[in-house]
Amino acid sequence: GNSVTQMEGPVTLSEEAFLTINCTYTATGYPSLFWYVQYPGEGLQLLLKATKADDKGSNKGFEATYRKETTSFHLEKGSVQVSDSAVYFCALSDPTSGTYKYIFGTGTRLKVLA
Amino acid sequence: GAGVSQSPSNKVTEKGKDVELRCDPISGHTALYWYRQSLGQGLEFLIYFQGNSAPDKSGLPSDRFSAERTGGSVSTLTIQRTQQEDSAVYLCASSLAAGGQYEQYFGPGTRLTVT
């Protein structure tokens, strides 16, 4: 079945460091891919998305490219801030069920130190 | 505009009691999803509603769980005879329609604690 594998956390970085959070997927068909962020005490918010191969999603300095050849959608940011501390979830929208329900990775906690 | 709202935000209940969780989706969104976020299982799909179509209940963990969506808008998730393993955050999401190009918008969740 479809699945998402995300790197284990927590990830601890100093402010202005480069961030990569790895995400790979297994899917039948052509899923859309998403990164959601959950700030402390808040709900899930869409960070960025890509709906087809080679698409690049970007928002708030974060980027991720839909790589069909490596079945990956790694999240990157060139210079993290303390305010980026949160849990990040990679997800795919399952096209095979007709519902387009999300299949989520386990989440990666990011802590950015000043 | 208004986002997805859920109530209550927190619910503590005794084992064996029934609970009802409510979701108000974004106006005009035809697709509605329920997910569960728990420490052991991560984020998992529970049930999906789309318009007047039959719901997809494939993610419901047991027959103690049920949900309905009235008038294509508000949804209620009911858990009967709650067990301690039901303790989790229950998330509701809605999207304009079901399709890969439509992102889901999540509510703040209901934290359920079964004692």
Side-chain angles (χ1 to χ4, degrees):
Chain A
N2 297 340
S3 65
V4 174
T5 301
Q6 207 174 322
M7 65 185 287
E8 293 283 333
V11 174
T12 303
L13 296 173
S14 298
E15 206 165 25
E16 298 183 4
F18 184 86
L19 169 71
T20 300
I21 300 178
N22 290 336
C23 172
T24 57
Y25 67 91
T26 302
T28 305
Y30 303 96
S32 294
L33 301 173
F34 303 83
W35 277 101
Y36 277 80
V37 59
Q38 190 171 35
Y39 296 104
E42 299 185 16
L44 282 169
Q45 301 174 26
L46 178 68
L47 183 59
L48 52 84
K49 69 177 185 180
T51 59
K52 62 183 187 297
D54 299 325
D55 269 3
K56 177 187 283 189
S58 61
N59 186 25
K60 299 181 181 179
F62 290 89
E63 292 183 342
T65 301
Y66 189 158
R67 302 281 188 203
K68 195 167 186 296
E69 63 276 12
T70 54
T71 62
S72 65
F73 193 54
H74 303 321
L75 182 68
E76 297 182 336
K77 187 175 186 183
S79 175
V80 293
Q81 305 300 312
V82 172
S83 57
D84 294 326
S85 298
V87 181
Y88 293 80
F89 292 92
C90 184
L92 68 80
S93 176
D94 181 358
T96 59
S97 64
T99 68
Y100 294 89
K101 64 187 179 189
Y102 282 176
I103 295 171
F104 286 92
T106 52
T108 301
R109 182 176 300 277
L110 170 66
K111 185 172 183 179
V112 180
L113 304 175
Chain B
V4 177
S5 60
Q6 292 185 246
S7 61
S9 55
N10 279 285
K11 177 73 176 178
V12 180
T13 190
E14 291 180 352
K15 178 181 171 181
K17 301 279 191 185
D18 298 352
V19 295
E20 282 190 354
L21 313 180
R22 177 187 168 104
C23 171
D24 280 272
I26 293 173
S27 177
H29 281 195
T30 63
L32 186 147
Y33 305 80
W34 284 95
Y35 296 87
R36 181 169 70 173
Q37 185 174 21
S38 57
L39 282 176
Q41 302 297 324
L43 271 157
E44 53 181 345
F45 165 79
L46 296 177
I47 189 169
Y48 157 82
F49 295 91
Q50 169 67 48
N52 295 321
S53 303
D56 179 345
K57 306 178 183 179
S58 60
L60 295 179
S62 79
D63 58 8
R64 296 185 294 103
F65 288 71
S66 63
E68 62 177 19
R69 188 179 186 191
T70 54
S73 181
V74 171
S75 178
T76 303
L77 177 69
T78 301
I79 309 173
Q80 295 179 308
R81 305 181 303 283
T82 52
Q83 303 296 311
Q84 288 187 328
E85 62 263 29
D86 299 335
S87 296
V89 177
Y90 289 83
L91 297 171
C92 177
S94 69
S95 65
L96 196 59
Q101 70 272 43
Y102 301 111
E103 63 260 32
Q104 295 176 28
Y105 295 81
F106 284 81
T110 293
R111 181 175 297 277
L112 175 66
T113 303
V114 182
T115 61

